[in-house]
């Protein structure tokens, strides 16, 4: 069965610094996709970045990059130059094969301090 | 803003009642998924609809049911509400297996 593990319940970072949020996954499928979402207190899940299992290069989207290490089954999110508005819950999720189902981790609460 | 809208935003129901939550998918998206997010947890997959047919279901009892309409909007129905059904219900739309975009959610409280 698919499983996503986020071991950091909470993280703190100073404004303008970089932060890494950890995510490890478990799957027996060869084809899968990895996602990161941001959830502010308002509740909406905001898509940040996607990495396919066959993508050879790490995905990047503006200040977000995904450090994909397939052999270690890890897909860490790196946020560069943190901003106060980055304070939120961050969820790592996996979609396996042709299924549309997303499996989420328990999330990491990021707090950016001024 | 994703273009996925959910209604209502908040709802209070009594145990044993029935509830219907609605979702309008993003224009052009033919797939809708529903998730339940309990407080302090990640979202849990309830089911998915593709072109009006259910094509995947999570570990939820049959009292959780849904519909997708020809315009790809969707409803989630929950019968015989229980206290543990209190949660944030999220709808996500996508074009087949493309990126899933979520609505703002419906916060359901069962008392």
């Amino acid at each position: 069965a698919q499983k996503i593990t986020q071991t950091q319940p909470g993280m703190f970072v100073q404004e303008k610094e970089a932060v890494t949020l950890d995510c490890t996954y478990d799957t027996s499928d060869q084809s899968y996709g990895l996602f990161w979402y941001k959830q502010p207190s308002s509740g909406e899940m905001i898509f940040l970045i996607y990495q396919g299992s066959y993508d050879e290069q790490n995905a990047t989207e503006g200040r977000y990059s995904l450090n994909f290490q397939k052999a270690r089954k890890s897909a860490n999110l790196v946020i560069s130059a943190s901003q106060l508005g980055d304070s939120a819950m961050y969820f790592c999720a996996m979609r396996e094969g042709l299924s549309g189902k997303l499996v989420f981790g328990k999330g990491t609460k990021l707090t950016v301090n001024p | 803003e994703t273009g996925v809208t959910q209604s209502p935003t908040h709802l209070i129901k009594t145990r044993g009642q029935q509830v219907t939550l609605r979702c309008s998918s993003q224009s052009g998206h033919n797939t809708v998924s529903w998730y339940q997010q309990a407080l302090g947890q990640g979202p849990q997959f309830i089911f998915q609809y593709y072109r009006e047919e259910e094509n995947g279901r999570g570990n939820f009892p049959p009292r959780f049911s849904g519909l997708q309409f020809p315009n790809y909007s969707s409803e989630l129905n929950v019968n015989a509400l229980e206290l543990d059904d209190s949660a944030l219900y999220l709808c996500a739309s996508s074009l087949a297996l493309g990126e899933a975009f979520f609505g703002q959610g419906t916060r359901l409280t069962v008392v």
Side-chain angles (χ1 to χ4, degrees):
Chain A
Q2 308 165 66
K3 186 177 179 182
I4 294 285
T5 302
Q6 294 181 254
T7 57
Q8 306 155 314
M11 288 285 286
F12 294 87
V13 65
Q14 290 298 121
E15 195 177 5
K16 299 181 185 178
E17 292 186 350
V19 63
T20 298
L21 306 184
D22 294 342
C23 172
T24 58
Y25 61 91
D26 189 20
T27 180
S28 57
D29 208 337
Q30 297 300 309
S31 176
Y32 51 88
L34 296 157
F35 300 77
W36 277 92
Y37 287 87
K38 171 185 178 181
Q39 188 177 43
S41 56
S42 60
E44 182 179 356
M45 299 288 280
I46 301 168
F47 167 77
L48 296 178
I49 197 166
Y50 167 80
Q51 179 87 38
S53 58
Y54 295 116
D55 295 340
E56 294 186 352
Q57 292 199 336
N58 288 340
T60 60
E61 291 283 353
R63 296 186 298 111
Y64 304 107
S65 61
L66 198 152
N67 185 0
F68 181 46
Q69 298 188 41
K70 196 170 182 177
R72 298 179 62 182
K73 292 190 174 179
S74 74
N76 298 338
L77 176 70
V78 180
I79 305 175
S80 62
S82 296
Q83 302 172 357
L84 296 178
D86 293 336
S87 293
M89 286 293 293
Y90 287 80
F91 290 93
C92 179
M94 177 170 61
R95 184 178 63 207
E96 191 172 75
L98 296 178
S99 164
K101 168 187 173 182
L102 289 173
V103 175
F104 286 83
K106 291 190 174 182
T108 296
K109 183 176 181 180
L110 177 66
T111 302
V112 181
N113 295 315
Chain B
E1 194 168 308
T2 64
V4 180
T5 58
Q6 293 185 241
S7 62
T9 55
H10 295 81
L11 199 54
I12 299 175
K13 287 287 191 177
T14 303
R15 190 172 51 183
Q17 284 187 317
Q18 178 265 344
V19 69
T20 297
L21 311 182
R22 295 178 173 83
C23 172
S24 294
S25 60
Q26 186 163 316
S27 178
H29 285 184
N30 55 16
T31 303
V32 172
S33 303
W34 286 91
Y35 293 82
Q36 180 195 66
Q37 186 178 19
L39 198 62
Q41 301 294 318
Q44 298 290 316
F45 176 75
I46 303 175
F47 45 55
Q48 177 176 277
Y49 280 83
Y50 172 68
R51 292 187 175 180
E52 302 179 58
E53 296 285 333
E54 182 181 302
N55 75 337
R57 189 176 182 92
N59 189 25
F60 281 82
R63 58 190 186 84
F64 285 77
S65 63
L67 283 173
Q68 187 180 31
F69 299 99
N71 66 355
Y72 301 133
S73 65
S74 177
E75 287 182 355
L76 164 65
N77 299 289
V78 187
N79 293 321
L81 283 166
E82 301 176 0
L83 297 180
D84 284 348
D85 296 333
S86 295
L88 178 68
Y89 288 84
L90 294 162
C91 165
S93 79
S94 63
L95 180 60
L97 294 180
E99 294 161 6
F101 294 93
F102 285 80
Q104 81 282 12
T106 294
R107 292 191 185 274
L108 172 65
T109 302
V110 183
V111 297

